[in-house]
Amino acid sequence: MKIGVVGSGYVGLVAGACFAELGHDVCLVDNDRDKLAALQAGECPIHEEFLPELLQRHRGKRLHFTGNLVDAVRKSQIIFIAVGTPPKDDGDVDLSYVESVAADIAGAIDTYKVIVEKSTVPVYTNTWVRRIMLLNGAPPELFDVASNPEFLREGSAVADFLYPDRIVVGAQTARCFALVAEAYRPLTDGSYYEKSDMIPGPVDGHFKARLIETSTKSAELIKHASNAFLAMKISFVNAVASMCEVVGADVEQVCEGIGSDSRIGRRFLRPGVGYGGSCFPKDLLAFRAVARESGLHFGLLDEVARVNEDQRHRFLRKVKKALWTLKGKKLGVLGLAFKNGTDDIRESPAIAIVKSLLKEGCRVTAYDPAAMKRAKEEFPAGSVKFASDAYEAIDGADACLILTEWEDFSALDLRRMKQLLRYPIVVDGRNLFKPALMEAAGLNYYSVGRADVVSTRATVTSFMKHAIEEDEAA
Ligand code: UDX
């Protein structure tokens, strides 16, 4: 098929590369000339597993980059709109980019096309896109508008696209649904999974992706409701973790117990410093705005956001509990990205926590395997030091703080960690370590929803060691 994708951000770029992987001819449109030039020159602008391979495999063959929207629309049977939908101050979503693309597409339509909303948008966007296209002169018989929300996660976006739990297509006509379904056929008939050079995923060769046909409004709601539900699960477990801390229970045991109920499930029950990223915080607010505008009070969503915000403050209180005063303390921070596997720092709890620590007068040395380049732009020059690995970040620090769930951090050598730290203190906002292991390593360990490990002997020994070293150095 001939497919156009408008917008080469996370969703557009991954969808474009994956549609090319499924055998389609894809034209990826963007109006950012620098981005286009970089893509044309073979660069991959985001840190995403398998994306560089896909771009390399299909660029210039089945995947083309262009700034010419009219040309791309004329060549394509389906046009996916994947432009940004940033949040406004009131939590509502700014749909002006979607509107402007819809108006431009309207002027270019010459044969029947399906326009697909792929960006995360509130209910009624489909109706508005159709209305805008009609107002801009698109003949009604020459187009349909479908909703096909994207559920990919950053860090595993390519695998999520190619091995989806479900593909949701909201369409008003059978013709429109059939065309969008056709674009995904190699996934729904399973033929993609029989290819020898397929991108590896979580299933074996006999997988067939599930296609769900809905109305356009239902498809729009499915996306917001899915993200709100997952955010709710995280806030729920974070609230349970706080409860565990108060009553002296262990959140890992509690999660094992509740997650084993197949109606609840084990996934998205990891307590921590709260959710971040470009989706959950924004989508939750947008969903709440939709409810408000529809005259509904969906107070549960307020509580989900409140618990999430509180989780950062709770972490800061833990740091204070471990170190008493903060002013002048030297902290080694591990992790800046909003989660592992990505260089994205949008709405990252780690960035918010570091900013609060700086306000308290702490000196921070940070390390992140992928997000340091982006993070450097977030802090005033010189306010945060950046280390070239985790050990360098914690060298001589009064405490090590773990803020992102990178696998590399859980493989750190605990003996070396203890030797490098000035005080043997680890405050872990992602529960990467088993408390018993930390105790055995002589570290004082504060995590989420589990008992603190505090060994006076470890503190005294380590403090004396460093005092002697400092004396010798003097
Ligand atoms: C999310 C949705 O998962 C995806 O379906 C949607 O298309 C976009 O939004 P993403 O933002 O990439 O994806 O990240 P996700 O893996 O969902 O994690 C979001 C945040 O929740 C991260 O900050 C992560 O650290 C946090 N999280 C996740 C937890 O704190 N606990 C968990 O159990 C799971």
Side-chain angles (χ1 to χ4, degrees):
M1 294 179 87
K2 307 268 185 217
I3 291 180
V5 179
V6 188
S8 65
Y10 244 102
V11 171
L13 189 57
V14 170
C18 288
F19 280 130
E21 170 74 358
L22 297 185
H24 304 303
D25 256 329
V26 180
C27 224
L28 198 51
V29 187
D30 206 296
N31 56 11
D32 180 336
R33 284 174 188 217
D34 294 340
K35 207 165 176 189
L36 277 180
L39 286 166
Q40 275 154 349
E43 284 174 33
C44 181
I46 49 176
H47 179 90
E48 198 58 57
E49 201 181 10
F50 301 123
L51 191 57
E53 287 90 326
L54 288 188
L55 295 180
Q56 165 83 18
R57 211 181 263 185
H58 303 299
R59 191 182 45 247
K61 296 170 200 145
R62 290 206 295 261
L63 180 60
H64 302 273
F65 305 104
T66 177
N68 190 337
L69 177 76
V70 172
D71 191 43
V73 170
R74 297 228 160 109
K75 280 187 190 145
S76 306
Q77 296 158 276
I78 307 186
I79 300 106
F80 288 87
I81 302 181
V83 294
T85 51
K88 293 193 291 191
D89 289 343
D90 60 357
D92 206 353
V93 181
D94 176 0
L95 292 168
S96 57
Y97 299 113
V98 175
E99 176 173 351
S100 127
V101 168
D104 290 347
I105 293 173
I109 283 191
D110 50 357
T111 54
Y112 177 79
K113 321 257 176 216
V114 169
I115 318 304
V116 188
E117 346 157 312
K118 195 106 184 103
S119 314
T120 300
V121 289
V123 69
Y124 291 126
T125 304
N126 189 293
T127 315
W128 271 109
V129 167
R130 183 169 178 80
R131 214 175 277 174
I132 291 298
M133 291 189 58
L134 291 172
L135 285 171
N136 282 277
E141 69 285 2
L142 284 195
F143 77 95
D144 276 310
V145 185
S147 293
N148 169 223
E150 186 50 65
F151 300 100
L152 53 81
R153 289 163 300 171
E154 290 185 24
S156 55
V158 169
D160 284 346
F161 188 99
L162 295 172
Y163 297 83
D165 285 343
R166 76 304 206 186
I167 297 163
V168 174
V169 178
Q172 267 159 347
T173 66
R175 183 186 188 191
C176 168
F177 173 76
L179 212 61
V180 183
E182 180 63 18
Y184 288 100
R185 196 153 53 88
L187 302 182
T188 53
D189 70 7
S191 56
Y192 178 70
Y193 311 107
E194 284 158 18
K195 284 175 59 170
S196 57
D197 62 347
M198 66 170 183
I199 295 292
V203 296
D204 63 18
H206 303 294
F207 182 68
K208 281 186 184 171
R210 180 168 177 218
L211 184 67
I212 301 177
E213 183 179 3
T214 68
S215 71
T216 52
K217 284 186 188 135
S218 299
E220 289 167 329
L221 269 189
I222 286 169
K223 172 68 193 191
H224 268 154
S226 298
N227 274 359
F229 189 88
L230 291 169
M232 179 184 74
K233 233 180 149 182
I234 298 170
S235 277
F236 183 85
V237 79
N238 280 332
V240 170
S242 303
M243 190 98 161
C244 289
E245 287 172 14
V246 175
V247 304
D250 183 313
V251 75
E252 303 297 331
Q253 293 174 1
V254 173
C255 283
E256 186 60 30
I258 55 178
S260 308
D261 185 326
S262 59
R263 293 169 301 174
I264 297 172
R266 190 70 186 80
R267 294 172 76 190
F268 274 72
L269 279 185
R270 282 194 329 268
V273 284
Y275 59 77
S278 64
C279 294
F280 284 174
K282 181 186 96 172
D283 292 353
L284 200 84
L285 292 182
F287 198 31
R288 194 173 63 177
V290 170
R292 198 176 45 224
E293 277 159 29
S294 318
L296 289 172
H297 174 65
F298 202 158
L300 182 59
L301 301 179
D302 297 329
E303 190 57 13
V304 171
R306 191 199 62 75
V307 171
N308 196 54
E309 180 66 28
D310 193 42
Q311 210 57 15
R312 296 170 189 188
H313 302 302
R314 288 187 72 84
F315 183 82
L316 287 168
R317 287 202 289 277
K318 277 195 179 88
V319 180
K320 282 186 188 155
K321 182 165 125 187
L323 281 169
W324 190 21
T325 64
L326 291 185
K327 196 169 164 199
K329 289 275 160 63
K330 188 169 180 248
L331 304 173
V333 166
L334 304 186
L336 295 164
F338 82 95
K339 66 169 192 179
N340 60 333
T342 176
D343 60 351
D344 199 339
I345 53 159
R346 284 176 288 174
E347 299 286 328
S348 170
I351 299 286
I353 288 170
V354 171
K355 284 185 177 164
S356 302
L357 292 168
L358 292 176
K359 265 198 199 138
E360 296 270 1
C362 296
R363 291 173 294 149
V364 173
T365 305
Y367 170 71
D368 187 285
M372 290 209 291
K373 192 162 162 250
R374 292 190 174 191
K376 277 177 190 162
E377 292 158 18
E378 273 296 307
F379 304 110
S383 63
V384 173
K385 279 193 192 153
F386 293 93
S388 52
D389 65 27
Y391 297 115
E392 190 187 318
I394 61 168
D395 193 1
D398 294 314
C400 163
L401 313 186
I402 300 173
L403 300 181
T404 309
E405 65 271 45
W406 285 100
E407 293 83 0
D408 309 19
F409 297 156
S410 37
L412 287 174
D413 177 347
L414 298 180
R415 269 181 38 182
R416 191 165 165 205
M417 203 176 200
K418 185 172 178 221
Q419 275 165 3
L420 288 170
L421 283 166
R422 196 166 96 94
Y423 295 158
I425 296 174
V426 177
V427 190
D428 182 357
R430 299 291 193 165
N431 285 4
L432 291 191
F433 295 99
K434 295 229 177 311
L437 215 68
M438 300 305 264
E439 189 166 17
L443 287 157
N444 290 344
Y445 183 59
Y446 302 82
S447 56
V448 185
R450 303 182 296 182
D452 298 338
V453 171
V454 186
S455 148
T456 325
R457 205 165 67 87
T459 312
V460 171
T461 327
S462 174
F463 182 72
M464 282 171 62
K465 182 176 78 77
H466 279 278
I468 292 164
E469 277 168 10
E470 273 166 21
D471 262 5
E472 281 173 0

